[in-house]
Amino acid sequence: MARSNFGSKIGIILATAGSAVGLGNIWRFPTMAGENGGAAFIMLYVVFVFMLGIPGMLAEFVIGRRAHTNAPRAYRKFGGKTPFAGVGYAGVLGGMIIFGFYSVIAGWCLAYFFSSVSTGIHGSPDEIVKYFNDFSSDPWQPVFWAAVFMLITHFVIWGGVNKGIERCAKILMPLLFIVLVLIVIASLCVPNAEKGIEFLFMPDFSKINGETCLAALGQAFFTLSLGVACLATYASYYDKSVNLAKSAMQIGLVDTLIAVLAGLMIFPAAFSVGVQPDAGPSLIFITLPNVFQSAFSFVPGASYVIPIMFYGLLVLAALTSTVSMHEIGTAFFTEEFKMSRGKSAAIVTFLCFIVAILSSLSFGVLKEVTIHGMTFMDFFDYITGQLLMPICAFLTCLLVGWYMKKDDVFDELTNGGTVYTRMFHVIYFAIRYICPIGIAIIFLGLIAETVQAG
Ligand code: PHE
């Protein structure tokens, strides 16, 4: 069976960038930064993206492209009878859980997009908060929008319209960037904006502890789509001539830039309207409508068009990410169980919808139902973002750095000795030592802290 679903070499790289850039940057990053004290968290996050995330991405790329198959089989191929063989399965599971709860937030964006088109979201800051609370706690509406969003993802995966997505991504990603910059400028002009800047760039190191380190690590991996075998799955479609290290670096840079822009867009506005930075998942939905109606009011039509463009582009950015999450499971079911793509996709969508329902209801009727003190939404986010992703990335680095043959790794990372041959030693060192040791230290630090506290 022909495996490649992607039209061109540049297409698949764009698709990987599309996977990385999504709600992780524009919704989860500000949420986490806000909950974990701002600047100090952000500095850690940037360090983790480049020191631990990029080597981790490369390790996944090596496995995926070399194996040229779905994630569980790829990890089995190189991991043999060791526990490494299980990482691919963990990835399928993790990808599906993320697809479930992520679709809830993407559904909110979709709903906000349609409200922006019809009536717009107006009112005093308190009314905007009430609008969000009423909407998100409703038992039906957000579930409906999550379902719509999941079905769109489903049809993209099923219909194999990845080429269309690639083509859109080429135009829409730069457009998203421009809209973000416009909103950042507007947000910087609101009264009290400097408080937001301070929050983003003046680190208070006393805010750093084991929990914040793990949160920053989890955010770095989540935003790079690292640790759920998503990158391995996409890399299995890569052409042999793709320069892996260069691509990982470019994706890491673009991804970080978008996250920082998202921070600049949200925090000045949040401080201006008196929304606490640790407002949680609702942050972008309650601060931005204020910016849209106040800051753009002097340009005719802008306060109508900008929110439509913003939420619309956000939905598309989310879609290029959910397609990649969905593909991990779909590729697995299709190839391992010899099912049609349609059937595999249907299984994935159905199972993930259950996760989506639980996540969505955890803002309303299931608010009081908690696991270890976390609502369903928080729980799903925590076990994937903060546990599964770092652990799988850790194991992937060990597999590539210590268990696979060095010659094979060299061959993949340098395209048979033709690119980045001198850099190889640095990258190999980072995969062998820096990334796994970095992750281990963070986990050990956290365990030590918990033991001390308890
Ligand atoms: N990286 C994506 C984002 O930032 C989320 C994602 C996680 C995508 C895991 C694929 C796999 O939105």
Side-chain angles (χ1 to χ4, degrees), residues 19-25 98 102 222-225 228 230 321 324-325 389:
S19 165
V21 175
L23 297 178
N25 308 60
I98 297 177
Y102 197 94
F222 189 92
T223 192
L224 295 173
S225 310
V228 280
C230 175
S321 300
S324 72
M325 297 163 199
M389 292 179 125

Side-chain angles (χ1 to χ4, degrees), residues 6-14 166 238-243:
F6 287 91
S8 59
K9 182 173 138 190
I10 179 78
I12 178 71
I13 298 295
L14 275 177
E166 276 169 43
Y238 282 9
D239 188 278
K240 285 288 170 211
S241 63
V242 170
N243 184 334

Side-chain angles (χ1 to χ4, degrees), residues 47-275:
V47 170
F48 292 163
V49 164
F50 290 98
M51 291 204 34
L52 314 181
I54 304 276
M57 285 176 88
L58 287 170
E60 256 196 50
F61 282 165
V62 166
I63 291 182
R65 186 166 71 173
R66 192 135 195 105
H68 199 58
T69 183
N70 67 78
R73 193 182 294 174
Y75 277 90
R76 275 202 324 261
K77 185 166 173 178
F78 297 118
K81 298 228 168 331
T82 64
F84 295 129
V87 176
Y89 294 97
V92 170
L93 181 71
M96 287 173 58
I97 297 176
I98 297 177
F99 177 46
F101 74 76
Y102 197 94
S103 296
V104 173
I105 312 297
W108 293 356
C109 297
L110 201 55
Y112 268 57
F113 169 73
F114 281 105
S115 345
S116 307
V117 173
S118 59
T119 51
I121 298 153
H122 305 286
S124 66
D126 287 343
E127 280 162 346
I128 288 173
V129 172
K130 182 171 180 312
Y131 180 89
F132 174 80
N133 287 341
D134 290 349
F135 166 71
S136 62
S137 60
D138 187 273
W140 299 106
Q141 277 195 55
V143 175
F144 166 78
W145 288 110
V148 172
F149 184 83
M150 293 179 98
L151 283 176
I152 300 175
T153 309
H154 177 88
F155 285 111
V156 170
I157 285 284
W158 183 33
V161 286
N162 286 327
K163 275 196 202 127
I165 289 251
E166 276 169 43
R167 240 170 266 145
C168 288
K170 272 186 222 167
I171 307 166
L172 295 173
M173 297 258 269
L175 198 60
L176 174 67
F177 182 79
I178 296 170
V179 173
L180 280 183
V181 172
L182 279 179
I183 303 175
V184 167
I185 297 172
S187 181
L188 290 178
C189 298
V190 297
N192 286 329
E194 57 299 341
K195 281 210 200 123
I197 310 277
E198 216 171 275
F199 182 75
L200 275 171
F201 297 114
M202 299 278 283
D204 170 1
F205 289 105
S206 67
K207 296 239 167 80
I208 292 189
N209 57 26
E211 281 286 339
T212 29
C213 285
L214 183 62
L217 180 75
Q219 176 56 25
F221 288 6
F222 189 92
T223 192
L224 295 173
S225 310
L226 170 62
V228 280
C230 175
L231 299 172
T233 305
Y234 267 21
S236 75
Y237 301 113
Y238 282 9
D239 188 278
K240 285 288 170 211
S241 63
V242 170
N243 184 334
L244 298 181
K246 197 167 132 204
S247 309
M249 243 354 234
Q250 284 170 344
I251 294 170
L253 278 172
V254 170
D255 195 75
T256 307
L257 181 67
I258 303 262
V260 172
L261 279 180
L264 275 172
M265 167 173 86
I266 284 152
F267 290 109
F271 279 96
S272 164
V273 288
V275 171

